[in-house]
Amino acid sequence: MNGHEPWAQALPPSLSHSELMLFQHLVEAETGMHLSMAKNALVANRLSRRLRELGLDSFAAYYTYVTSRGNEAEKVRMLDSLCTHETSFFRESRHFDLLRDHVFPEWSAQGTQGRRPRSLRVWSAGCSTGEEPYSLAMALLESFPQDSGWHLEIVATDLSTWAVRRAEEGLWNLERSRTIPPLLLRKYMLRGVRSQEGLMMAGPEVRQLLRFARANLHDPATWPVGKFDIIFCRNVLIYFGAEARVRVIQGLLQRLPETGYFFLGHAESLIGITAAARSVSANVYTPRPGPAELSRE
């Protein structure tokens, strides 16, 4: 062994406690997300490749590089690398069951009776690589077909520019199809052939409902404009610090009418955070009328 083996050169530099704190404060200030001190190995692993590409020998040097004036593109790249993208089609299927069996039939009847506009806007806030918004598109089209006279729109956003690009591409490994109901898979997805064998692509009927953008939930100026009938913000707020979580929840609830629905992930709840929303099902809420009362506890 001469000390110059390729595997040795590939080892990432160590991330000290003080360096992790630098990134912890930066990420929380920029995004509201809190990196616990237990994330040392994760942060080191996800950032080390970029250190090697830039020829930097420490995370402190990379922090200086990221925060230097005029280097916003690198900051976005850093945040991309720290985002988590765990997702699947029709994840937490009970939420889609609630929409299919209760919410959509009620709204359809109200639209027929002239008691509500025949239009629906949905926001997938934290769309990752697109499985959630495309699942929503399929669910909407099953209840409100193209020839039904309803206008449907899904806005899908994520902090990660990489994830937004992947979502907009609408192309996945065929193994990802396992959680799509067979009828919907045949109806709305295209199977790849020849050079795209083993892949599937979203069909044009679902694509036309969707538009994608980068948005930082910590910065409402980046949010899509207007009100929404449904907001999915699932498995996102668990990464936020307490104060940032409260601010985001307050802002999201204000984007919903009293008849709207707010969906959280299975490990998330508004209990002890706000009295401004009423629980209608597990991790599903509707706004209460009146001013929001929020707690930072």
Side-chain angles (χ1 to χ4, degrees):
M1 299 290 287
N2 59 15
H4 296 286
E5 300 294 336
W7 64 267
Q9 294 176 9
L11 289 174
S14 60
L15 176 67
S16 69
H17 179 86
S18 60
E19 288 172 327
L20 178 58
M21 288 186 66
L22 289 174
F23 286 100
Q24 182 186 62
H25 294 152
L26 175 61
V27 169
E28 189 151 7
E30 292 288 330
T31 71
M33 295 189 300
H34 177 71
L35 293 173
S36 72
M37 301 311 290
K39 299 290 186 181
N40 185 295
L42 180 146
V43 174
N45 181 59
R46 293 190 178 182
L47 297 184
S48 59
R49 178 180 177 181
R50 189 59 179 150
L51 266 68
R52 291 194 294 270
E53 291 173 346
L54 294 169
L56 300 174
D57 60 3
S58 72
F59 289 98
Y62 182 60
Y63 175 84
T64 300
Y65 181 75
V66 167
T67 55
S68 61
R69 180 175 296 180
N71 214 357
E72 284 301 312
E74 185 64 33
K75 188 181 295 181
V76 169
R77 185 168 186 163
M78 179 208 70
L79 295 173
D80 272 9
S81 68
L82 294 177
C83 289
T84 299
H85 303 296
E86 181 182 350
T87 186
S88 61
F89 286 97
F90 293 93
R91 187 181 186 185
E92 301 182 41
S93 60
R94 57 190 171 77
H95 287 166
F96 294 92
D97 294 342
L98 176 69
L99 292 173
R100 181 195 63 215
D101 297 337
H102 300 285
V103 177
F104 290 164
E106 180 182 0
W107 285 351
S108 179
Q110 291 172 351
T112 300
Q113 298 162 5
R115 295 166 50 204
R116 66 163 293 139
R118 294 167 68 86
S119 63
L120 291 173
R121 293 190 81 215
V122 181
W123 181 9
S124 173
C127 69
S128 188
T129 49
E131 286 86 338
E132 179 179 276
Y134 285 99
S135 298
L136 286 164
M138 289 185 271
L140 280 168
L141 286 169
E142 284 299 285
S143 293
F144 306 95
Q146 281 186 316
D147 59 359
S148 65
W150 283 73
H151 174 73
L152 308 174
E153 180 187 20
I154 300 172
V155 181
T157 67
D158 200 274
L159 176 67
S160 168
T161 54
W162 173 85
V164 170
R165 286 195 300 268
R166 285 287 309 276
E168 192 164 18
E169 186 181 26
L171 186 69
W172 305 269
N173 190 297
L174 197 56
E175 292 181 359
R176 305 293 289 173
S177 70
R178 288 178 295 180
T179 55
I180 302 176
L183 176 63
L184 303 187
L185 178 63
R186 292 192 297 270
K187 193 171 180 180
Y188 298 112
M189 290 291 173
L190 305 175
R191 182 187 290 266
V193 296
R194 293 185 290 276
S195 64
Q196 292 192 327
E197 187 174 354
L199 302 176
M200 68 173 180
M201 177 178 285
E205 195 173 3
V206 290
R207 282 180 178 276
Q208 69 178 359
L209 304 189
L210 290 151
R211 63 182 182 90
F212 296 89
R214 181 181 186 267
N216 182 351
L217 289 177
H218 192 54
D219 181 7
T222 69
W223 293 10
V225 299
K227 292 270 191 177
F228 293 87
D229 299 285
I230 295 169
I231 294 177
F232 268 51
C233 187
R234 305 188 305 171
N235 308 301
V236 176
L237 297 175
I238 53 175
Y239 299 106
F240 279 56
E243 291 191 5
R245 186 184 303 122
V246 167
R247 288 194 299 271
V248 172
I249 288 170
Q250 181 177 30
L252 293 177
L253 288 174
Q254 290 171 352
R255 294 299 186 94
L256 288 166
E258 292 178 16
T259 56
Y261 287 84
F262 182 45
F263 288 78
L264 291 173
H266 71 278
E268 299 168 315
S269 171
L270 298 187
I271 295 174
I273 295 178
T274 178
R278 177 177 63 89
S279 174
V280 295
S281 183
N283 321 107
V284 184
Y285 300 85
T286 57
R288 292 184 187 274
E293 296 179 6
L294 293 149
S295 168
R296 287 177 171 78
E297 296 179 0

